[in-house]
Amino acid sequence: MKIALVHEFLNQLGGAERVLQNFLEIWPEAEVHVILYDREKTQGQFEGYKKKVSWLNTLPGVKKHPRLFLPLMPGAIESFSFDDYDLVLSDSSSFAKGIHTDKLHICYCHAPTRYLWTVREYIDKQKYPRFLKFLGKIYLKRLRKWDLKAAQRADFFIANSVNIQDHIKKFYQRESIVIPPPVDTEVFFPDGPKQDYFFTASRLELYKRVDVIIEAFNHLGWPLKIAGRGTDLNRLKALAKPNVQFVGAVSDADLSKLYSQAKAFVFAAEEDAGIMVVEAQACGTPVIAFGKGGVLETVKQGITGEFFDEQTAGSLEKVLKDFNPANYDPQVIREHAEKYDKKIFQEKIRSFVEEKYGEFARSKATKQSNQ
């Protein structure tokens, strides 16, 4: 069985890229098809794998300002040919599901395209001239029609959470099964005694709402460490008081220590599933998270963490003031996270793909014999 993998953009490292890495551990000979590829921004982690990169990647300026090339991305993803493969497995947050193929296509969906369906203010928050925002809003209406049509092309959907399963049904009118994303519990484990700081980590983008966390800790004056990088970094640094420390992009080993030694991992985004939330729990650390989205599935109230009700600094502060680390057992938290171990994820993915490919091959053979 020759497998093609499809991924939108290899120009950052986040939860979707961890999923792709797991696919490549299952099928190391698979060829990855991507719209954009940036070796530096992915720290060379995908350099050793076979890749096909779209023509869009060669255009001047695309790596620095990829959002400006949004109108060309449907054409870029549709340009790939899969004639030489038996099966296509895409992992999609936007365009990857939109490939054209007559081969079996299974889509692991991180979310229906956020800026089309759930984050309507996306254009307004971009740092572009007003006329570009105006044109962008016009184009997004067209792109929404393409996105809905593209969502009908996959034969099967896998959702990363019940939350996203509901969104796939609501926005795409498609059924799906749920396989939560993987966490490597051999990399993320309790590592060192607790210290006097709270911790958060993510891509530093507007929608991650790290500003809510900074505002709360500015007011409290408590130590906060922030890991990650992104386009919102400079704004966040300008907001932060001296009690807030930015540690930048860190290795998984250092990330595990930062998780482990924090009093709690704080998370303010409305996340689809939230791999980092589970990574923190794998390190035995309780989570304080905005109580909406996928975290409601991965965090157990009062056992592995707590929720704040509103995406505001005031709501977060209230929970922080009442939070007592002594109420949490690191071993219990760790055991909860082990249910999301990557070995379990890989076995579920492998079994589903092999089952559906077997059905597809048998159906195809039956049709050919009846001709």
Side-chain angles (χ1 to χ4, degrees), residues 145-353:
K145 293 179 180 179
W146 178 90
D147 191 68
L148 179 58
K149 186 177 179 180
Q152 312 311 311
R153 295 174 186 170
D155 295 289
F156 298 98
F157 269 93
I158 303 171
N160 65 2
S161 62
V162 174
N163 175 50
I164 292 305
Q165 184 181 50
D166 292 342
H167 284 186
I168 292 169
K169 180 67 173 178
K170 178 180 179 180
F171 299 120
Y172 293 156
Q173 295 84 53
R174 296 294 306 272
E175 301 295 334
S176 60
I177 68 159
V178 176
I179 300 179
V183 170
D184 191 338
T185 59
E186 293 183 4
V187 171
F188 296 101
F189 58 91
D191 188 5
K194 295 295 183 185
Q195 297 183 17
D196 185 25
Y197 69 88
F198 290 80
F199 180 54
T200 190
S202 75
R203 293 195 303 278
L204 301 182
E205 304 295 339
L206 283 166
Y207 76 96
K208 293 293 188 179
R209 300 310 311 271
V210 178
D211 55 335
V212 169
I213 302 172
I214 291 174
E215 185 180 343
F217 278 86
N218 279 347
H219 188 255
L220 293 168
W222 297 354
L224 171 70
K225 294 185 179 183
I226 300 174
R229 61 184 180 184
T231 61
D232 204 27
L233 175 61
N234 291 336
R235 184 182 74 92
L236 294 173
K237 282 186 173 181
L239 288 175
K241 291 184 177 180
N243 58 298
V244 178
Q245 178 187 0
F246 291 82
V247 300
V250 297
S251 67
D252 282 350
D254 288 338
L255 184 58
S256 184
K257 284 185 172 64
L258 286 163
Y259 282 138
S260 299
Q261 297 174 19
K263 289 183 176 180
F265 180 72
V266 187
F267 202 72
E270 182 181 342
E271 198 59 271
D272 307 315
I275 291 179
M276 300 193 96
V277 166
V278 184
E279 288 175 350
Q281 292 173 88
C283 295
T285 295
V287 171
I288 300 174
F290 174 49
K292 195 171 181 182
V295 296
L296 295 174
E297 300 168 46
T298 57
V299 178
K300 299 176 70 174
Q301 172 72 37
I303 299 173
T304 72
E306 300 177 20
F307 301 115
F308 55 101
D309 296 331
E310 298 176 2
Q311 208 172 30
T312 63
S315 182
L316 171 56
E317 273 188 62
K318 184 177 179 181
V319 173
L320 284 167
K321 288 176 180 177
D322 293 335
F323 173 72
N324 183 358
N327 293 337
Y328 291 89
D329 183 340
Q331 183 58 36
V332 171
I333 297 173
R334 163 77 178 180
E335 289 173 358
H336 171 69
E338 286 173 343
K339 296 188 296 185
Y340 300 91
D341 184 73
K342 74 175 194 176
K343 293 178 182 177
I344 297 172
F345 170 83
Q346 290 182 10
E347 181 54 37
K348 287 181 178 179
I349 289 289
R350 187 202 308 272
S351 295
F352 185 82
V353 167

Side-chain angles (χ1 to χ4, degrees), residues 90-157:
S90 63
D91 72 296
S92 181
S93 301
S94 53
F95 297 99
K97 64 182 175 290
I99 61 162
H100 282 301
T101 183
D102 60 354
K103 306 300 172 66
L104 178 66
H105 175 197
I106 298 172
C107 176
Y108 186 91
C109 186
H110 301 284
T113 310
R114 297 179 188 90
Y115 51 83
L116 298 178
W117 304 101
T118 57
V119 187
R120 297 298 184 86
E121 68 276 15
Y122 175 81
I123 289 285
D124 292 327
K125 291 185 175 181
Q126 299 306 307
K127 298 176 181 179
Y128 293 129
R130 191 172 296 176
F131 80 94
L132 283 180
K133 291 183 179 182
F134 175 75
L135 293 175
K137 288 180 180 180
I138 294 173
Y139 175 68
L140 287 191
K141 292 180 180 179
R142 292 179 55 193
L143 185 58
R144 198 173 184 210
K145 293 179 180 179
W146 178 90
D147 191 68
L148 179 58
K149 186 177 179 180
Q152 312 311 311
R153 295 174 186 170
D155 295 289
F156 298 98
F157 269 93

Side-chain angles (χ1 to χ4, degrees), residues 27-130:
W27 300 288
E29 295 303 314
E31 191 162 29
V32 183
H33 297 65
V34 292
I35 297 174
L36 302 177
Y37 175 61
D38 190 315
R39 182 189 185 281
E40 181 180 348
K41 290 182 179 178
T42 52
Q43 300 174 19
Q45 292 189 20
F46 296 92
E47 193 67 9
Y49 295 104
K50 292 185 287 186
K51 292 180 291 297
K52 284 188 177 179
V53 184
S54 82
W55 52 266
L56 188 58
N57 200 64
T58 64
L59 297 186
V62 70
K63 291 186 178 181
K64 189 173 182 180
H65 299 288
R67 291 182 180 92
L68 294 180
F69 293 81
L70 208 62
L72 302 179
M73 289 180 183
I77 203 68
E78 291 174 342
S79 70
F80 289 118
S81 172
F82 299 96
D83 292 343
D84 296 332
Y85 303 93
D86 300 307
L87 178 147
V88 182
L89 176 61
S90 63
D91 72 296
S92 181
S93 301
S94 53
F95 297 99
K97 64 182 175 290
I99 61 162
H100 282 301
T101 183
D102 60 354
K103 306 300 172 66
L104 178 66
H105 175 197
I106 298 172
C107 176
Y108 186 91
C109 186
H110 301 284
T113 310
R114 297 179 188 90
Y115 51 83
L116 298 178
W117 304 101
T118 57
V119 187
R120 297 298 184 86
E121 68 276 15
Y122 175 81
I123 289 285
D124 292 327
K125 291 185 175 181
Q126 299 306 307
K127 298 176 181 179
Y128 293 129
R130 191 172 296 176

